[in-house]
Amino acid sequence: MKKNLDTFFKPKSIAVVGASKMSTKIGHAALKNILISEYECKLYPINPKEKQILGVKCYAKLSDITGSIDLVLISVPAMIVPQIMNECVQKKVKNVIIISSGFSEIGNYELENEIRKIVDGVKINVLGPNTMGYKNASDGLDASFVFGNPRKGNVAVISQSGALGIGMIYLANNEFVGLSKIIGVGNKLDIDDDDLITYFSRDPETKVMGLYIEAVKDGREFMNSIKDCNKPVLVVKAGISEAGARAAASHTGSMAGSDDIYSAAIKQAGGIRCRDIVELFDMARALAGQPPAQGNRIGIISNGGGLGIMLTDACVVNGLKIPKLSKKTYNKIDRILPDLVKPNNPVDLVADAGFYRYEACTRALLEDPGIDGVIVASVHGGYARPSEFTGAILKMVRERKLHEEFKKPILATWVGGKEFEDIVLDLKTAGVPIYPSTWRTARAMLSLYLEGERIKREKGLD
Ligand code: COA
């Protein structure tokens, strides 16, 4: 049976063991993050030497607290953690986050097993050890020791690496990808990826999941959780080379396993494997904001022949199809284009293309039953006007009726410099999936196609 993580992510009371007055200590940062969270809960710093920390009454030990405790964050040296865990069990604490390092990731399996024995048969959820904790952006709770707030959104991120998880918050913010939750699983003594996938599949605030893993503890449970999940699951699996696997073993104590087996298992379960975290957020942005593609037939529009050809190649290499235009669509586009070009797929709108050509051609492709998704591209080729392209994209992506009518995704690509970048920023803030690379765009479209296929399988249509 999967874990109930409701009180883990939405605790009514939190204690921080190892809370400190010293601002450089992790126990200080963890307490402060909870204190400044936009989240209502009881908060108990635990430190035997202090009466008050950051203006909050301090307790010497957990048993001094009269009320129940939903969540305990532990930030004391590893050797003291078993003693604190015993106190948690006695106090009937529901959830624990062990921030402390110094366990299996450095070969100290004995100490980790000691904790395993303490919680064996006890109804308690344990995250970590060796974890940053989590940030619950949906509810405004920061139960981590790291600085930085994710933009609120609907992508849940699970990371086996703490530092990378933190970096992913900043990357997501930079890319205007909003997160629902981000959590570091650390050594996965108890709470595992599959528990979180199952929880997030029922979380109304989460639409897409992204995982960074080095290894999974229970392959079957991991696969089943993805298989049973009703949302897209994106997976970055690291440690694929021999040297990378060696690094993973010393990072989180993980045995990376055969890469081919991971690839096949993730695919078979219905997950999508990403090459790196940039790709993870590229795909997450597309999946969070666009309808899935009902098939792999893609229409491409650009204002530069070379850009259209590169997009075509990138799509085909990734298993997508760029079909010839139907007679009807050909005729529609022929009326839109200037006389010097003839319609094709990819459609070349010519370098001076403005709002009308972009919008009318995209609409013509969306109306074609032989096209499942559209990529609209622009290169700032001297006299081209990027704002005309971005204006058309913004209109189409925002047009709710368009999505409801056609249920087809629209992605965008651009090539250019600073002036283009500034306008693209506007699109990103509006949630438009736009990418500075033909390859990245094609991969994002692939994820929409794969999600469409997953949904068909879920509905028994495949
Ligand atoms: N109950 C409550 N507090 C206790 C305690 C107990 N039984 N025993 C000690 N403390 C207090 C200490 O006195 C100290 O408070 P002080 O500053 O007022 O003296 C505080 O707990 C922290 O203990 P300290 O010995 O100072 O440890 P630390 O803060 O230097 O380091 C860790 C503790 C957990 C941060 C450190 O051991 C560690 O693991 N760091 C790595 C964490 C990490 O990176 N995790 C993974 C992220 S991805």
Side-chain angles (χ1 to χ4, degrees), residues 237-259:
K237 161 73 178 75
I240 60 176
S241 61
E242 205 187 311
R246 242 183 3 251
S250 66
H251 179 217
T252 47
S254 300
M255 298 312 293
S258 153
D259 190 57

Side-chain angles (χ1 to χ4, degrees), residues 17-22 25-27 46-50 60 75-78 80 83-84 99-101 130-132 145 162-163:
V17 177
S20 168
K21 274 191 172 164
M22 276 184 72
K25 290 201 180 176
I26 283 181
I46 312 284
N47 183 316
K49 296 186 301 196
E50 304 291 350
S75 180
V76 290
I80 314 176
Q83 174 206 322
I84 306 296
I99 291 170
S100 320
S101 304
N130 186 31
T131 173
M132 68 166 185
F145 66 87

Side-chain angles (χ1 to χ4, degrees), residues 36 40 44 50 85 96 98-99 113 189 227 232 235 239 245 273 309 330 356 428 461:
I36 62 174
E40 293 281 322
Y44 307 105
E50 304 291 350
M85 284 306 294
V96 178
I98 305 175
I99 291 170
N113 281 335
L189 178 140
K227 211 180 272 171
V235 184
R273 190 155 177 198
I309 297 164
Y330 180 98
Y356 169 71
K428 280 187 180 175
L461 298 173

Side-chain angles (χ1 to χ4, degrees), residues 260-439:
D260 289 345
I261 291 175
Y262 266 104
S263 269
I266 292 166
K267 190 174 169 193
Q268 201 193 328
I272 301 172
R273 190 155 177 198
C274 314
R275 294 178 175 216
D276 60 14
I277 53 170
V278 169
E279 183 166 284
L280 187 149
F281 285 120
D282 283 350
M283 290 181 170
R285 190 183 8 209
L287 290 161
Q290 292 291 297
Q294 302 300 315
N296 65 350
R297 301 162 305 174
I298 308 304
I300 295 172
I301 295 172
S302 82
N303 65 340
L307 187 54
I309 297 164
M310 280 198 298
L311 271 168
T312 303
D313 286 344
C315 284
V316 171
V317 169
N318 280 290
L320 301 170
K321 289 189 176 135
I322 313 299
K324 286 188 178 153
L325 297 175
S326 68
K327 188 84 195 123
K328 200 170 165 188
T329 306
Y330 180 98
N331 288 336
K332 276 188 203 170
I333 295 179
D334 201 24
R335 284 196 289 274
I336 300 162
L337 292 184
D339 288 340
L340 62 143
V341 275
K342 283 292 158 205
N344 192 3
N345 187 19
V347 183
D348 186 353
L349 298 180
V350 191
D352 66 339
F355 185 96
Y356 169 71
R357 254 182 255 166
Y358 270 109
E359 210 232 347
C361 273
T362 308
R363 197 169 272 277
L365 287 180
L366 289 172
E367 283 166 356
D368 187 333
I371 295 290
D372 302 304
V374 179
I375 296 175
V376 192
S378 179
V379 48
H380 190 192
Y383 62 108
R385 290 154 294 164
S387 61
E388 297 276 318
F389 156 76
T390 49
I393 296 285
L394 200 55
K395 177 173 185 287
M396 289 181 294
V397 170
R398 274 191 174 154
E399 218 170 311
R400 190 162 276 282
K401 245 179 69 202
L402 204 72
H403 281 307
E404 279 160 14
E405 194 180 345
F406 299 113
K407 293 191 173 59
K408 293 177 184 178
I410 304 171
L411 301 184
T413 309
W414 63 280
V415 175
K418 191 79 192 122
E419 55 285 84
F420 215 138
E421 206 169 63
D422 288 345
I423 305 171
V424 164
L425 213 56
D426 279 352
L427 292 194
K428 280 187 180 175
T429 54
V432 176
I434 181 159
Y435 308 96
S437 135
T438 51
W439 179 263

